[in-house]
Amino acid sequence: MTHIHGTARNQTLSSLGGKPFSVQGGKVINIKVHKLMGDDLAEVSANGQRFLAKLETPLKAGERQWVEVKQTETGISLKLIPSPQVDGEGIASKLLHHLSISGDEKAMTSLVKDLVKDKIPIHKEMLVFAGKHVTGKDAPLHSKIIVEMAKRNMPFTNRVFLSMKAGEKGDFISLLDTLSSRLSEAGGDGGTLQMIRRIQEPLRRNISENLVIKALTGLANSSQTYATRLGHFDVLKSLGFIPGETVMNQWKEGLAGMILDRVTSDGEGEPASFEGLRSGRNQAPGVSGSGQEYTKSAFSLVDKWMNILTGSETRLEGTQEETPEAAARQLIGLAGKERLVEMNFSRLEQIWGKGVPSSNQEKIFQMLYHQTVSDLTEQLRGDELAKVLKRVIGEFGINYEAQVHKGLEIQGNTLKEHLIGLSQQHPATDIRQLADDIVLRMNHQVLHSQDPSPLLTIVQQFPMYLFGRNTDITLQWTGKEKEKGVIDGDYCRVLFYLNMKEMDETLIDMQVQHRVISLTVWNDHPAAEALSQPLIPDLKNGLEKLDYQLSSVKVKKPDKHESLSEKILGDESNRTFSGVDVRI
């Protein structure tokens, strides 16, 4: 949690993240005259910011007036907007008349009143844009969106407006399920469908990797019968993990040779090019150097893990024993065949996953499959769950544009990239619209993560499919911006919202001060507190390993009149956390 990154702080959207107030031509602002300087020049202020401007109409010191800003080569001049001292509605009507804005007069007057009340600078471009959208039965919602865009200094474009509005359009789960069904019916676009299914089945890679670990340790276990070990060997070949030409009595040589070929060809002079290392799996410590030295180090490392796997060597590093399972995981990381194995696993699951096995290999596959699923169902927590969440967020690709701008090579690896292609090129209108709706909803949270205040707020929302319990998960981080786009993990607040079938709405509010954590769990289930108590010791121990201290866990019932989703996803005024002691 030390480095929590925003979704799009590095995007080149020039209008985002700007100052909350700037003096620009065409804006309508309420000024106070402080001092008359002569030659029609005066010192004035708006929104607490002082500046010098030329007054086109004589005003007195201390006077307050609405003016229109004009930007010229010689500086700023202010044109008085005649506005009698009447109520807010009268002022709003005068402003609209002065700027010649057409549209729904009642709705637009209400919008301008809200802008004036919130002391938001008004300009003609904003009101012309609003006049096209603040109409009909959706006028109140659209007016609220326009005000939010103005508060955040967002560009007034249809794309940004639709992205801000997309938060009202269903959830990711239903949108993805619908798009998946339509793509299956229409045929083609297998790449997009495969990406959706990877997100719909986030444990598939965990299952395939853990199944390989079980098969590899079973093959290496000399206490097993030859037939059982042969079944494990055949499964590994069918999964594509062991080369097809390898024979049973030379499996160690075949596996080690395959790994060394990859490591030495991919990593010559560059240890970080190991796929396992690059993916952050803590693989292969100790491989260093270049050329012959590097190759020798790689041979030594693979030999070490192979010996531990087969039980001919047991070593201790610190207090953690290096088990055959740990060795198998290391070798899998070095082999770099996760995607091939996952693809083959899906194929084998379809042909061997059910029914009475017709071969020893099929019998072993079913046994390993059921053991793996059972283990994950019972034990999915901590590091395993963190890996699943990280993978889903990465493959969902909400910050795809920011990564492209940074020059990162991510072609075809994120769902968002596939969806953008679908929305622009697919022949079916409804599929194009569905894909675009999901992209807009992704953009919605990126835009909501933009905040010009000293506190950085990051919103991450993504679908999570786990054991048939499907829900959209929302994470909202708020804290001091340690560096560009990075929240200080020592002082921050995290809100975690999900809606589960058994527990209904749940909001977890985590506040961090000096790396001391206090948790509040909001849930209406009568057994929520009792269910949470047995989990607290593990939570405390897990946080201590990360150098955090748990101070308290409170379970509270939400107000019947307040939706928990609004508590985290409400408008910005409800997300400033007033009254909460966050000392930065």
Side-chain angles (χ1 to χ4, degrees):
M1 205 172 100
T2 307
H3 297 294
I4 302 158
H5 294 261
T7 51
R9 295 292 272 193
N10 297 320
Q11 280 183 252
T12 56
L13 191 55
S14 59
S15 300
L16 294 185
K19 295 179 180 179
F21 172 77
S22 59
V23 183
Q24 296 172 344
K27 279 193 174 181
V28 174
I29 54 178
N30 187 258
I31 64 161
K32 179 180 179 180
V33 181
H34 292 277
K35 188 185 296 184
L36 300 174
M37 314 292 289
D39 292 331
D40 298 328
L41 199 65
E43 181 188 20
V44 301
S45 67
N47 284 28
Q49 181 171 321
R50 293 197 182 203
F51 57 97
L52 294 176
K54 184 177 180 180
L55 301 176
E56 293 190 3
T57 305
L59 296 174
K60 296 177 182 178
E63 197 170 352
R64 286 188 177 275
Q65 290 289 352
W66 284 94
V67 295
E68 182 180 358
V69 178
K70 290 186 176 180
Q71 190 88 42
T72 67
E73 291 181 1
T74 57
I76 298 169
S77 64
L78 305 176
K79 181 180 180 182
L80 180 68
I81 298 175
S83 53
Q85 298 302 311
V86 293
D87 59 16
E89 192 166 330
I91 293 172
S93 181
K94 276 284 185 185
L95 290 175
L96 290 169
H97 177 74
H98 175 80
L99 296 172
S100 303
I101 302 299
S102 59
D104 186 324
E105 186 174 348
K106 184 178 179 181
M108 288 298 294
T109 300
S110 176
L111 168 65
V112 174
K113 281 174 63 179
D114 288 341
L115 293 169
V116 170
K117 182 179 70 175
D118 290 345
K119 297 181 181 179
I120 298 173
I122 300 167
H123 55 88
K124 188 168 183 178
E125 176 197 357
M126 172 202 303
L127 295 180
V128 169
F129 182 85
K132 299 175 183 176
H133 295 87
V134 183
T135 58
K137 62 182 178 62
D138 289 331
L141 170 62
H142 291 181
S143 179
K144 184 179 176 182
I145 293 171
I146 296 290
V147 170
E148 189 69 19
M149 289 171 67
K151 280 182 181 178
R152 294 171 177 271
N153 259 7
M154 292 178 179
F156 286 92
T157 66
N158 285 330
R159 197 68 186 164
V160 171
F161 176 82
L162 290 172
S163 294
M164 291 293 286
K165 185 180 176 181
E168 310 293 324
K169 279 191 176 182
D171 53 54
F172 281 126
I173 294 286
S174 59
L175 288 170
L176 279 176
D177 289 349
T178 304
L179 179 59
S180 177
S181 297
R182 281 293 295 117
L183 286 173
S184 296
E185 293 167 6
D189 294 296
T192 305
L193 199 53
Q194 186 178 10
M195 285 298 303
I196 293 175
R197 285 175 178 164
R198 284 173 67 86
I199 289 169
Q200 289 175 325
E201 301 175 16
L203 295 180
R204 180 157 296 278
R205 177 162 303 182
N206 295 62
I207 293 171
S208 62
E209 285 182 8
N210 288 351
L211 189 144
V212 171
I213 290 172
K214 289 182 184 298
L216 197 52
T217 53
L219 170 61
N221 186 353
S222 58
S223 66
Q224 299 262 25
T225 65
Y226 180 83
T228 301
R229 293 179 63 211
L230 179 61
H232 286 76
F233 172 74
D234 289 337
V235 166
L236 288 168
K237 285 180 68 174
S238 296
L239 288 169
F241 182 73
I242 288 181
E245 66 276 8
T246 308
V247 294
M248 172 67 177
N249 63 357
Q250 293 181 341
W251 72 267
K252 288 186 287 186
E253 293 82 357
L255 177 59
M258 178 266 293
I259 292 174
L260 287 168
D261 282 347
R262 175 179 181 269
V263 167
T264 52
S265 61
D266 286 2
E268 185 72 14
E270 184 54 68
S273 70
F274 289 1
E275 186 174 62
L277 288 171
R278 188 168 58 236
S279 63
R281 291 166 52 89
N282 297 320
Q283 251 77 35
V287 178
S288 59
S290 60
Q292 289 183 344
E293 195 178 305
Y294 174 83
T295 303
K296 183 179 178 182
S297 181
F299 269 79
S300 175
L301 184 71
V302 173
D303 187 55
K304 166 194 167 183
W305 292 125
M306 289 296 296
N307 287 337
I308 293 173
L309 173 67
T310 56
S312 59
E313 179 181 342
T314 302
R315 298 168 51 152
L316 293 174
E317 267 191 16
T319 58
Q320 184 177 1
E321 185 176 2
E322 293 174 337
T323 62
E325 288 76 14
R329 190 176 293 278
Q330 297 285 354
L331 291 167
I332 289 167
L334 289 174
K337 290 193 171 186
E338 290 90 348
R339 291 205 172 189
L340 174 64
V341 167
E342 184 181 356
M343 182 178 68
N344 285 329
F345 168 76
S346 297
R347 178 177 56 81
L348 295 180
E349 184 187 20
Q350 288 184 350
I351 59 176
W352 289 349
K354 297 178 182 178
V356 179
S358 58
S359 67
N360 183 43
Q361 180 182 184
E362 189 174 340
K363 177 183 175 183
I364 295 294
F365 177 84
Q366 286 190 6
M367 178 190 73
L368 294 174
Y369 175 76
H370 292 306
Q371 284 179 356
T372 303
V373 171
S374 177
D375 288 350
L376 276 175
T377 306
E378 294 297 324
Q379 302 170 12
L380 185 66
R381 60 180 64 187
D383 291 344
E384 285 287 330
L385 183 56
K387 278 166 43 178
V388 173
L389 291 174
K390 185 177 180 180
R391 188 185 304 141
V392 170
I393 293 172
E395 291 178 348
F396 205 46
I398 286 170
N399 60 344
Y400 163 70
E401 292 89 346
Q403 290 178 314
V404 170
H405 174 64
K406 288 179 183 178
L408 299 178
E409 289 289 336
I410 55 171
Q411 188 171 1
N413 291 336
T414 70
L415 178 62
K416 190 173 188 181
E417 180 187 358
H418 285 264
L419 292 173
I420 291 171
L422 274 187
S423 68
Q424 295 172 348
Q425 300 169 6
H426 200 279
T429 305
D430 62 330
I431 288 178
R432 288 200 307 272
Q433 186 60 57
L434 268 170
D436 199 45
D437 285 346
I438 300 173
V439 171
L440 289 170
R441 187 160 175 77
M442 289 178 171
N443 291 343
H444 174 82
Q445 60 185 287
V446 174
L447 292 172
H448 268 281
S449 294
Q450 303 298 325
D451 191 349
S453 73
L455 290 179
L456 172 60
T457 294
I458 299 169
V459 182
Q460 294 176 316
Q461 189 175 65
F462 50 92
M464 180 54 70
Y465 298 74
L466 285 178
F467 309 119
R469 301 173 178 90
N470 305 334
T471 180
D472 277 0
I473 288 179
T474 303
L475 279 167
Q476 182 173 302
W477 313 77
T478 297
K480 184 179 179 182
E481 190 171 16
K482 193 173 183 179
E483 54 189 83
K484 191 172 181 65
V486 179
I487 282 179
D488 186 348
D490 293 353
Y491 303 87
C492 63
R493 184 182 186 189
V494 183
L495 294 172
F496 179 85
Y497 169 82
L498 69 164
N499 196 335
M500 299 177 289
K501 184 177 180 182
E502 292 84 357
M503 299 294 289
D504 203 16
E505 285 191 310
T506 301
L507 174 63
I508 298 173
D509 184 353
M510 181 175 84
Q511 296 191 46
V512 186
Q513 293 289 307
H514 296 285
R515 301 184 76 83
V516 177
I517 294 176
S518 58
L519 281 181
T520 302
V521 180
W522 297 86
N523 187 276
D524 202 25
H525 194 285
E529 185 163 10
L531 290 170
S532 68
Q533 291 304 309
L535 303 175
I536 293 176
D538 284 345
L539 173 63
K540 188 172 183 178
N541 292 335
L543 288 171
E544 285 175 355
K545 290 177 183 177
L546 298 172
D547 195 26
Y548 285 90
Q549 180 183 342
L550 180 66
S551 66
S552 65
V553 177
K554 298 177 183 176
V555 179
K556 294 184 178 181
K557 290 190 176 184
D559 189 322
K560 290 290 185 183
H561 303 290
E562 183 177 19
S563 167
L564 286 178
S565 60
E566 286 301 313
K567 208 175 183 74
I568 187 171
L569 295 171
D571 62 28
E572 184 65 21
S573 62
N574 290 330
R575 294 197 282 114
T576 54
F577 312 123
S578 57
V580 176
D581 182 16
V582 181
R583 294 183 295 276
I584 302 298

